[in-house]
Amino acid sequence: EAGVTQFPSHSVIEKGQTVTLRCDPISGHDNLYWYRRVMGKEIKFLLHFVKESKQDESGMPNNRFLAERTGGTYSTLKVQPAELEDSGVYFCASSQVNEQYFGPGTRLTVT
Amino acid sequence: GENVEQHPSTLSVQEGDSAVIKCTYSDSASNYFPWYKQELGKRPQLIIDIRSNVGEKKDQRIAVTLNKTAKHFSLHITETQPEDSAVYFCAASYRRDSSYKLIFGSGTRLLVRP
């Protein structure tokens, strides 16, 4: 069974540009989560989808971040316009119930 | 608010010794406590978890203990090996409106010296 995949693995963009991150969850997992780890700090929750619906988006930092999961399969996280403080590693995780399985992450660098 | 504190931030042990990492959570509604291991450049991997109706769980050289009254939980690794070197994260979770978001500790960098 394939694990959670994320694309791209790395992205370097300039401040003000737009970046879209993609996550493909484990097949059959209705729950999809986005997390972010900034500069060696803790991994922080961003939002949670159940199928195509946003169940909890309490961790989204501001309206420059937009997450979608059309059709309830893969998800995208768009940052527009990117700011320097958005740099970090963005993780996606999927689950059926409790156990969340993480993807390899996308390292985003905003210069 | 929801918070998980993790100690120590770094831990260096000799191969064969034991390592203990401790976490404290703030929300008494938390009922699921996973531990993740992240090796350099790799994804966080779930290594063990415990639910609030259990006080201890063991899997070979790894064990986790939970004290609900004190809101503490700990990871114990016995007979450490160099391949145990990684960053370990504890997390706490509870179900709210069908969401099981994980609240993570700040991580412990474990170094096992050969």
Side-chain angles (χ1 to χ4, degrees), chain B residues 57-95:
Chain B
K57 185 176 178 181
K58 215 172 182 181
D59 183 4
Q60 299 182 345
R61 296 186 297 109
I62 294 173
V64 58
T65 58
L66 171 65
N67 182 330
K68 282 175 57 181
T69 304
K71 292 191 272 187
H72 288 171
F73 58 115
S74 301
L75 178 72
H76 304 252
I77 306 174
T78 58
E79 300 170 33
T80 54
Q81 300 166 3
E83 52 265 37
D84 294 330
S85 296
V87 178
Y88 291 80
F89 293 96
C90 64
S93 173
Y94 65 95
R95 181 174 177 167

